[in-house]
C-alpha cells in the first residue's frame, strides 16, 4: 500500500530559527532518509508524497525550500515546477534520474534553482540546500547589501532589494525566480559594465558542471522574456559575444 501520510519534523533547538524544508517524493524510504538526515543537521523538515499534499503544506505554513522529485508517480513534475513559479519564488531543488538530462534542462528553464541526480549523497544535497538558502537570503552582488541600497530603477521598472520584487509602471508586479532576481540585481549593480558568465553565475547560483556553460544563458533568456519588449532584440541585457553580458540602460540607485 502506498504511503500517503503527510509527516513533519518540528523539533527546534532552543534559541534558533530553523529553515523549513519540504521534501516531495513518492518513495517512503527517500522521505524517511531525508527527514532524519536534514533534521539532524539543524533543518526543520516536512515531507509529502504528492503534489496535492505539497500544496496543502504550503497553504498552512511558510516553507523556505522545496526538494521535489520530478518523477512522482502519476504526476507531471514539470507542471508542478511551473505552478510553483507562477505563484511564488520559493527555491526548488529538483531530484532527477541520472539519464534525465532533458528534464534537468527544462526544470532549470522553468525556474528551479538547482538539481541533484539519483542516487545521491544526502551530504551533497545538504550542501546544495545550504548554498541555495544562502543565496536566497543574501541579496546578490555584495555592493547592494554593503551600501544598504534599497532599490534600483531603470526605464519604468523598479527592483526592490528588500522585498525582492520587480515592479513595472503603476504597481504591476513581475514574478522573478531567486536566480533571476539575483542575476538582475548583479546587472543593475554594475550598469554599462561587462560582467562575465563566471561573475553572473556566482551572483545567481552555481550548477553542476554538466550544465555549467548553459546555466547563465538560460537565466538571461528567461529574464529577457520578462523585461524586454522584444527579447530577440534586447535593449537592456546585451550580449558581449565570447565574454558575457552588459546592462545598457541608465540605472537609478535608491537608498
Amino acid at each position: 500500500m502506498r504511503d500517503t501520510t503527510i509527516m513533519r519534523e518540528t523539533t527546534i533547538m532552543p534559541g534558533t530559527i530553523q529553515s523549513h524544508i519540504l521534501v516531495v517524493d513518492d518513495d517512503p524510504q527517500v522521505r524517511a532518509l531525508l527527514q532524519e538526515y536534514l533534521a539532524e543537521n539543524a533543518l526543520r523538515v516536512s515531507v509529502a508524497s504528492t503534489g496535492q499534499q505539497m500544496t496543502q503544506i504550503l497553504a498552512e505554513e511558510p516553507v523556505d525550500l522545496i526538494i521535489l522529485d520530478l518523477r512522482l508517480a502519476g504526476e507531471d513534475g514539470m507542471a508542478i515546477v511551473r505552478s510553483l513559479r507562477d505563484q511564488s519564488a520559493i527555491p526548488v531543488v529538483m531530484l532527477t534520474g541520472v539519464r534525465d538530462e532533458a528534464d534537468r534542462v527544462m526544470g532549470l528553464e522553468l525556474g528551479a534553482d538547482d538539481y541533484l541526480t539519483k542516487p545521491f549523497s544526502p551530504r551533497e544535497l545538504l550542501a546544495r540546500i545550504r548554498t541555495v538558502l544562502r543565496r536566497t537570503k543574501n541579496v546578490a552582488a555584495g555592493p547592494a547589501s554593503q551600501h544598504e541600497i534599497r532599490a534600483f530603477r531603470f526605464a519604468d521598472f523598479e527592483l526592490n532589494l528588500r522585498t525582492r520584487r520587480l515592479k513595472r509602471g503603476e504597481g504591476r508586479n513581475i514574478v522573478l525566480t531567486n536566480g533571476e532576481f539575483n542575476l538582475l540585481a548583479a546587472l543593475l549593480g554594475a550598469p554599462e559594465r561587462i560582467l562575465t558568465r563566471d561573475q553572473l553565475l556566482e551572483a545567481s547560483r552555481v550548477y553542476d558542471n554538466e550544465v555549467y556553460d548553459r546555466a547563465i544563458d538560460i537565466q538571461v533568456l528567461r529574464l529577457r522574456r520578462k523585461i524586454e519588449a522584444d527579447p530577440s532584440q534586447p535593449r537592456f541585457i546585451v550580449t558581449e559575444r565570447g565574454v558575457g553580458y552588459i546592462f545598457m540602460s541608465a540605472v537609478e540607485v535608491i537608498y
Side-chain angles (χ1 to χ4, degrees):
M1 179 179 295
R2 190 172 169 185
D3 181 0
T4 59
T5 303
I6 299 178
M7 301 173 59
R8 291 185 173 86
E9 167 58 52
T10 57
T11 302
I12 300 178
M13 297 296 291
T16 66
I17 299 177
Q18 295 175 307
S19 294
H20 184 192
I21 309 301
L22 173 55
V23 177
V24 186
D25 197 301
D26 59 1
D27 186 331
Q29 292 184 328
V30 171
R31 292 198 304 275
L33 170 66
L34 294 184
Q35 185 172 38
E36 180 179 1
Y37 183 80
L38 297 179
E40 288 175 351
N41 284 276
L43 294 169
R44 181 181 171 216
V45 186
S46 296
V47 298
S49 61
T50 67
Q52 182 178 1
Q53 291 180 359
M54 177 196 73
T55 301
Q56 179 182 335
I57 293 173
L58 292 175
E60 292 176 352
E61 54 189 319
V63 170
D64 296 298
L65 182 143
I66 297 172
I67 300 169
L68 173 65
D69 183 1
L70 289 186
R71 295 291 185 176
L72 294 177
E75 298 188 70
D76 184 349
M78 293 303 171
I80 294 175
V81 174
R82 186 181 295 108
S83 177
L84 282 169
R85 277 297 157 260
D86 288 343
Q87 300 173 38
S88 75
I90 298 174
V92 177
V93 176
M94 305 178 296
L95 301 181
T96 70
V98 174
R99 299 181 181 179
D100 296 337
E101 180 179 1
D103 282 354
R104 293 195 292 274
V105 173
M106 184 179 297
L108 296 174
E109 289 177 340
L110 289 175
D113 293 80
D114 204 346
Y115 74 85
L116 204 58
T117 56
K118 290 185 174 182
F120 58 86
S121 159
R123 184 176 180 181
E124 182 179 0
L125 176 60
L126 177 63
R128 301 291 185 100
I129 290 171
R130 287 174 172 168
T131 297
V132 173
L133 288 175
R134 184 167 58 249
R135 290 197 169 101
T136 300
K137 293 178 179 178
N138 296 329
V139 175
S145 56
Q146 291 173 10
H147 295 89
E148 298 184 351
I149 295 173
R150 179 167 60 86
F152 291 115
R153 283 183 185 154
F154 64 99
D156 59 341
F157 294 89
E158 180 177 311
L159 184 71
N160 190 306
L161 301 183
R162 295 178 183 175
T163 64
R164 299 178 69 87
R165 293 184 181 276
L166 177 64
K167 182 174 69 175
R168 183 172 190 176
E170 296 299 321
R172 178 191 167 195
N173 289 322
I174 299 172
V175 177
L176 299 178
T177 67
N178 293 300
E180 291 165 358
F181 168 85
N182 291 341
L183 174 61
L184 183 56
L187 289 165
L188 295 178
E192 300 183 1
R193 285 172 45 195
I194 298 173
L195 296 180
T196 67
R197 284 177 171 80
D198 285 348
Q199 289 173 317
L200 293 174
L201 277 165
E202 178 61 26
S204 55
R205 56 179 163 275
V206 179
Y207 293 125
D208 234 14
N209 290 335
E210 189 171 348
V211 293
Y212 183 90
D213 292 336
R214 293 193 57 191
I216 199 63
D217 299 317
I218 291 172
Q219 291 271 43
V220 168
L221 177 61
R222 289 206 317 259
L223 191 52
R224 280 174 173 165
R225 290 170 179 166
K226 295 183 178 181
I227 67 173
E228 301 280 5
D230 181 0
S232 64
Q233 298 291 328
R235 69 186 182 98
F236 295 132
I237 306 174
V238 177
T239 303
E240 289 291 327
R241 294 193 179 279
V243 183
Y245 296 91
I246 182 170
F247 196 83
M248 292 299 293
S249 176
V251 177
E252 177 186 0
V253 178
I254 305 171
Y255 292 95

